[in-house]
Amino acid sequence: MHTRRDFLKRATLLSSAAAFSGAFPESIQRAFAIDPALGSSYLDAEHVVILMQENRSFDHALGTLRGVRGFNDPRALRLANNAPVWLQTNAKGETYAPFRFDIKDTRATWMSYLPHNRHSQVDAWNSGLYDQWLEAKRSHKLEYADMPLTMGHYTREDIPFYYALADAFTVCDQNFSGAMTETTPNRSIFWTGTVRKDAASPAHLYNDDYFDNPMDWPTFPEQLRKNGISWKFYQNELWREYGLTQDAIAWLSNYGCNILELFAQYNVNKQERYQQNLPQAILLLEEEVAELEKKAAEPNAPAQTLTDLRERKNDLAQCKKDVLIGSGAFARLTPAEQELHLRAFTTNVGDPDFHSLEELSYQDGATQRNMTVPKGDVLHQFREDVEKGQLPTVSWLAAPERFSDHPTAPWYGAWYLSEVMDILTKDPEVWKKTIFILTYDENDGYFDHIPPYVAPDPRDKTTGSVSPGLVSETEYVYRQDEVQQGIPEKNARTGPVGMGFRVPMIVASPWSRGGWVNSQLFEHTSVNQFLEHFLNSKYGSKVREENISPWRRAVSGDLTSIFRRFDGEKPTPLPFLERDPFVEGIHKAQFQPVPSDYRKLSDEEIASVAQNTHGSGLLPHQEKGVRPSCALPYELYVEAGLSGGGSMVEMRFRAEDKVFGKQAMGAPFNVYARSAGHLRGTSHTVAAGDSLQESWPLDSFSGGTYRFEVYGPNGFFREFAGSRSDPALAIACEYEVEAPDPKRLTGHIVLQLANTGSKPYAIEIVDHAYGAAPVRKRISGKEVVVLNLEQSFGWYDFSVKVDGFADFEKRYAGHVETGRHSASDPFMGGTMGGMLRV
């Protein structure tokens, strides 16, 4: 059992001293230093441990981290007004940029959550225009409603444990949430692969859908049981444990983070302890409902009061329904049903203090402050199973609200995360066989600068296209269907199910250490796809989550590109961290002023940021430097030009499988057509080995001049501009083959130019980022230009221009994937000169 002193000792990252230390915590040092067997790979692991935390976007948490696609992204989306995506404008015409949340000297971590329900997420996305964040994400607290809190972000000084974990292992910077909505539907995708029972059933995209009526479609843990794979879902206590006070629930229950409670086959309402507590719970809930009804009847009652009232009424109705089941129901379940329940709800009932809190007092200057903390060990059973060698093959963890990183609670989650790492790394023999995955369910209401990739509307071909077989019907919902489900008309939306916005993911293991970045496209089904591959490869099982749609499988990686075979490399020694363990560092921040490190930008400042985005002092910037990057299975091409006698712009998307074969991934592309201050987005998904062609009428562009911007994974970018009088010059950006093997690429660009007209063209190839000198050519027939990318680690960003054709430009940017590991974008890291054009 752990005492209060032990609790504080492990709360390292919550102390003000640690918050400003650049050293690594002991548990990370230990994990980083443990070598697996020489020549081993991730398939030699025996345990996969997964922690899904709550409600943080990637930019909000890790946007300033070195070597990831964060605030230095040199080719980020430009909005319809041509401003970079980081400059968001509200209905009053006020424009704000991202700003820092100082976790120690402001009360930022005590200001609650921002809107993140279905309609606010869809509204922020705004059909890909991505310009409604300030309006859609206004705080529900009136005193904060006019603050641009959605643009707030943290840095290494604020959440050092997360940065240290990323520096020691592998961070995934193209990891998206599964659905463009709130928590529970995203967790449904994470544990079941879907938000609906089948294609004919309604999509459940609201938390209340799950709490009002139990779901019953198959879940991923049932696949594990079917295949004889051991698993457990650890939590201190259930969310539906109504025997706790509200304060105790926040510290001790699983906060609804174990979605299996909401599926009928897990029989959560038949648990004996739950049944025994129901009568008292009903009395307490009736008192709470009566009190909330009084508050709700007051003039200008806060929206949160109405939300709390609705939730308590739902809880009360559920309790009154469940009490009819009666005691002894669990004993009447079959042995298989009992086992499924016990594995899903592995709680800390073995710890006599698992329902108890105790008081902690500390001095804040001259003021004595008091707070409560858990008296027991919220990781008791997980800790015991690890220490006794009984950790199952697959483990999931659900933290209490206070440790979940959810913005309704102060950011105490660093302690929970560090404690999990501490448990896993104490015995080197355990860590040598373990893969630990940290991820998040959704972004809350916090801004992230990369628009998610989504399935187009299958009923509206103007929204985009997909390769044959990538059925997207289950990936889209319609306003009229939501209204029929009982969603108020003002909140009902037509739009894609997902993906949602980017969220952090860090994978810690002996085969992912070294401070790497992986930029393959992942989302919530990626973890289950990894478990499928890992378990089936290792044990010959037949685990497969049938609920995952073909569209997601085509573009969502299975995490295997994260891992590297251990060949004996030695890590750089990491400095030891002296930890002054004081939890009050976070607790006393609530008495600090609100964040004020933001201001409305003037027209002149907006123009200056648009002119020099990368060098602007009005935007946050990332830590300088690059980090090693994982090889990715992408061979992507996009070209565009006039067709139909000059009346159409035709674009061709390709996701080749020549180099990577069966490992090759398809890709989604966000395409933006820009004309006279207007922007329109479409979504296109190409399966591996396939291609798509799309056409746009030239007369749909003002003045007969067109401009397209195309975004793909890992900074892939194309820009095509021109007019009816484009030169008769065919251009193709290809990747140089390493002779004599056509399946090996050198990492360089081959630019193929073909003059199909009668007059020669003078062309110029202009580098925008990596310091290459301009290349000028006179093209009469066919010409091949090789661009050597050795100095930029395979990264490129150049345009082809033609003298006498001012409207014409083709711009190509991204990274050449060769199947070999590389480095993150050096221009993004500030280690390579060049010019950024926006």
Side-chain angles (χ1 to χ4, degrees):
M1 185 186 303
H2 290 264
T3 65
R4 176 166 49 188
R5 181 184 298 274
D6 293 325
F7 175 87
L8 294 177
K9 188 176 181 180
R10 289 171 170 77
T12 306
L13 264 297
L14 310 180
S15 71
S16 57
F20 292 92
S21 170
F24 281 86
E26 180 183 355
S27 62
I28 294 181
Q29 291 188 63
R30 191 164 57 230
F32 195 88
I34 296 172
D35 289 342
L38 190 65
S40 65
S41 76
Y42 68 93
L43 290 176
D44 292 297
E46 295 181 5
H47 312 289
V48 180
V49 179
I50 302 161
L51 172 62
M52 173 176 270
Q53 293 285 71
E54 287 270 332
N55 295 42
R56 302 289 177 174
S57 80
F58 188 90
D59 278 347
H60 167 76
L62 298 175
T64 62
L65 180 68
R66 170 181 55 87
V68 299
R69 198 152 296 278
F71 290 119
N72 286 6
D73 191 343
R75 292 167 288 274
L77 174 70
R78 287 178 293 130
L79 303 176
N81 63 2
N82 214 41
V85 67
W86 292 288
L87 301 189
Q88 292 286 318
T89 303
N90 62 23
K92 296 179 182 178
E94 299 168 333
T95 299
Y96 296 93
F99 65 98
R100 181 188 168 199
F101 277 169
D102 187 319
I103 205 169
K104 175 177 176 287
D105 294 326
T106 76
R107 71 177 73 162
T109 192
W110 288 90
M111 294 172 70
S112 193
Y113 67 93
L114 298 177
H116 53 282
N117 47 22
R118 169 67 174 173
H119 61 270
S120 75
Q121 301 281 54
V122 174
D123 289 351
W125 174 67
N126 194 21
S127 298
L129 300 186
Y130 224 61
D131 57 0
Q132 295 298 308
W133 283 86
L134 292 179
E135 288 301 314
K137 303 300 182 181
R138 288 182 178 274
S139 174
H140 63 92
K141 290 182 173 289
L142 293 179
E143 64 267 38
Y144 307 145
D146 290 330
M147 299 173 65
L149 295 180
T150 183
M151 308 304 290
H153 71 88
Y154 292 99
T155 68
R156 183 182 295 271
E157 288 77 13
D158 304 304
I159 49 172
F161 193 91
Y162 299 86
Y163 278 67
L165 196 67
D167 285 347
F169 296 103
T170 298
V171 59
C172 303
D173 69 351
Q174 297 282 275
N175 179 54
F176 293 80
S177 55
M180 199 179 294
T181 185
E182 53 199 335
T183 287
T184 310
N186 270 291
R187 289 179 175 268
S188 179
I189 290 178
F190 194 73
W191 272 279
T192 79
T194 186
V195 293
R196 61 174 100 213
K197 185 171 185 177
D198 51 47
S201 301
H204 299 284
L205 289 171
Y206 297 83
N207 288 350
D208 288 348
D209 292 346
Y210 296 82
F211 286 93
D212 291 347
N213 295 290
M215 304 294 128
D216 62 357
W217 61 78
T219 63
F220 191 78
E222 292 170 271
Q223 277 286 330
L224 300 185
R225 183 182 67 167
K226 179 181 175 181
N227 283 270
I229 305 296
S230 64
W231 65 278
K232 283 185 180 180
F233 202 140
Y234 295 92
Q235 58 256 279
N236 185 69
E237 182 55 290
L238 302 183
W239 176 238
R240 294 193 188 188
E241 177 46 75
Y242 294 112
L244 299 172
T245 65
Q246 286 302 307
D247 190 38
I249 286 172
W251 282 108
L252 303 175
S253 86
N254 68 24
Y255 195 43
C257 291
N258 182 348
I259 196 177
L260 303 183
E261 284 192 47
L262 308 179
F263 281 75
Q265 59 267 39
Y266 287 90
N267 291 295
V268 68
N269 53 6
K270 295 181 175 63
Q271 187 194 68
E272 193 63 24
R273 190 170 69 255
Y274 172 72
Q275 282 292 324
Q276 291 172 354
N277 287 332
L278 278 175
Q280 180 64 24
I282 289 173
L283 292 176
L284 292 173
L285 284 167
E286 285 175 339
E287 292 176 2
E288 288 185 37
V289 167
E291 185 65 29
L292 287 168
E293 284 178 333
K294 291 179 183 179
K295 293 181 179 179
E298 296 175 359
N300 301 317
Q304 185 60 40
T305 298
L306 301 177
T307 299
D308 291 344
L309 176 58
R310 185 183 70 249
E311 290 179 353
R312 296 298 180 273
K313 283 184 173 180
N314 287 342
D315 290 345
L316 180 58
Q318 185 65 51
C319 285
K320 288 182 175 180
K321 181 179 177 181
D322 288 345
V323 77
L324 300 177
I325 295 172
S327 180
F330 185 78
R332 293 191 292 271
L333 296 176
T334 67
E337 289 171 330
Q338 291 184 10
E339 184 197 19
L340 184 68
H341 174 99
L342 293 172
R343 287 190 177 277
F345 310 124
T346 301
T347 66
N348 292 328
V349 66
D351 181 347
D353 293 319
F354 84 123
H355 271 200
S356 301
L357 299 176
E358 61 180 353
E359 189 174 89
L360 167 67
S361 298
Y362 68 89
Q363 289 296 126
D364 182 5
T367 303
Q368 179 174 311
R369 304 204 186 277
N370 301 303
M371 63 178 293
T372 55
V373 292
K375 186 176 183 180
D377 177 8
V378 295
L379 286 159
H380 167 81
Q381 192 58 54
F382 178 70
R383 186 190 312 274
E384 185 173 280
D385 282 357
V386 172
E387 290 176 351
K388 291 182 177 180
Q390 296 174 353
L391 188 66
T393 304
V394 180
S395 302
W396 290 280
L397 295 163
E401 178 186 2
R402 286 285 193 263
F403 298 122
S404 71
D405 287 349
H406 194 285
T408 55
W411 206 325
Y412 291 130
W415 171 79
Y416 189 90
L417 173 60
S418 65
E419 190 73 353
V420 170
M421 288 294 296
D422 190 57
I423 292 168
L424 290 173
T425 59
K426 274 188 174 178
D427 184 348
E429 295 307 311
V430 172
W431 183 248
K432 286 179 182 180
K433 303 173 183 177
T434 299
I435 295 168
F436 174 65
I437 300 172
L438 168 70
T439 188
Y440 287 75
D441 53 15
E442 35 97 351
N443 64 300
D444 197 80
Y446 293 111
F447 174 81
D448 184 79
H449 81 275
I450 296 183
Y453 300 99
V454 301
D457 183 350
R459 301 179 189 175
D460 184 357
K461 300 305 180 186
T462 66
T463 63
S465 56
V466 298
S467 288
L470 303 188
V471 181
S472 60
E473 278 80 358
T474 58
E475 296 289 351
Y476 219 84
V477 296
Y478 300 93
R479 184 177 184 275
Q480 60 270 27
D481 295 332
E482 291 200 339
V483 171
Q484 289 180 4
Q485 288 175 247
I487 303 302
E489 289 196 17
K490 67 177 182 178
N491 293 340
R493 297 289 186 273
T494 291
V497 171
M499 305 173 183
F501 305 108
R502 275 196 314 167
V503 291
M505 181 160 69
I506 299 173
V507 179
S509 77
W511 309 279
S512 59
R513 71 187 193 189
W516 287 59
V517 60
N518 185 292
S519 299
Q520 187 172 355
L521 182 63
F522 301 134
E523 48 86 36
H524 285 345
T525 70
S526 294
V527 174
N528 284 349
Q529 291 188 61
F530 170 71
L531 290 173
E532 289 173 352
H533 169 84
F534 172 76
L535 297 170
N536 296 344
S537 299
K538 188 175 182 69
Y539 300 113
S541 56
K542 296 181 180 179
V543 175
R544 181 174 173 84
E545 179 53 81
E546 297 294 346
N547 294 329
I548 300 175
S549 71
W551 180 78
R552 290 181 189 264
R553 285 197 181 273
V555 299
S556 304
D558 64 4
L559 308 190
T560 55
S561 62
I562 291 171
F563 303 100
R564 298 167 298 282
R565 185 175 294 276
F566 180 68
D567 60 5
E569 80 280 0
K570 292 296 181 184
T572 303
L574 303 177
F576 184 78
L577 176 64
E578 291 283 342
R579 303 197 290 180
D580 293 327
F582 294 104
V583 72
E584 69 265 21
I586 293 293
H587 184 263
K588 68 184 179 183
Q590 66 186 294
F591 307 107
Q592 298 295 325
V594 298
S596 59
D597 192 22
Y598 63 88
R599 61 187 175 89
K600 181 177 65 174
L601 300 182
S602 67
D603 291 343
E604 293 75 17
E605 289 171 326
I606 294 169
S608 73
V609 175
Q611 180 66 29
N612 183 23
T613 305
H614 198 67
S616 175
L618 296 170
L619 294 179
H621 292 287
Q622 292 172 240
E623 303 163 335
K624 283 187 176 293
V626 300
R627 63 178 59 224
S629 64
C630 301
L632 308 179
Y634 289 127
E635 188 184 354
L636 308 179
Y637 307 87
V638 180
E639 296 291 354
L642 295 181
S643 66
S647 64
M648 305 288 289
V649 180
E650 186 174 271
M651 192 175 300
R652 188 181 184 209
F653 309 87
R654 289 186 290 149
E656 296 283 6
D657 57 1
K658 295 176 182 176
V659 174
F660 301 109
K662 292 181 179 180
Q663 281 69 49
M665 288 299 299
F669 298 95
N670 287 331
V671 177
Y672 292 90
R674 189 180 298 273
S675 178
H678 296 283
L679 198 65
R680 185 173 185 275
T682 55
S683 303
H684 307 269
T685 303
V686 189
D690 197 14
S691 65
L692 283 176
Q693 286 192 187
E694 289 294 324
S695 297
W696 288 261
L698 190 57
D699 60 13
S700 64
F701 293 85
S702 177
T705 60
Y706 64 88
R707 183 173 294 275
F708 288 91
E709 292 142 26
V710 183
Y711 296 86
N714 191 27
F716 182 95
F717 178 72
R718 299 291 186 262
E719 186 172 16
F720 306 110
S723 67
R724 297 183 189 277
S725 57
D726 278 357
L729 181 67
I731 302 174
C733 179
E734 304 284 338
Y735 309 129
E736 185 182 48
V737 172
E738 186 176 295
D741 186 352
K743 293 185 178 182
R744 286 181 63 85
L745 302 179
T746 65
H748 306 314
I749 291 289
V750 172
L751 196 60
Q752 299 181 354
L753 307 163
N755 184 344
T756 59
S758 58
K759 297 180 180 180
Y761 295 113
I763 66 106
E764 184 176 35
I765 303 171
V766 181
D767 181 276
H768 295 295
Y770 303 103
V775 176
R776 294 193 60 84
K777 291 280 184 178
R778 188 173 179 85
I779 309 297
S780 297
K782 293 183 178 181
E783 186 89 22
V784 173
V785 178
V786 176
L787 303 180
N788 188 302
L789 308 181
E790 184 176 356
Q791 297 302 311
S792 59
F793 307 113
W795 291 91
Y796 60 94
D797 183 355
F798 65 89
S799 288
V800 180
K801 301 182 179 182
V802 182
D803 289 357
F805 296 86
D807 294 327
F808 181 84
E809 179 179 1
K810 292 193 175 184
R811 183 179 179 186
Y812 302 88
H815 185 254
V816 181
E817 295 298 337
T818 64
R820 299 181 290 277
H821 300 311
S822 184
S824 61
D825 189 337
F827 183 61
M828 191 167 66
T831 61
M832 180 165 283
M835 171 184 66
L836 176 65
R837 187 185 68 79
V838 296

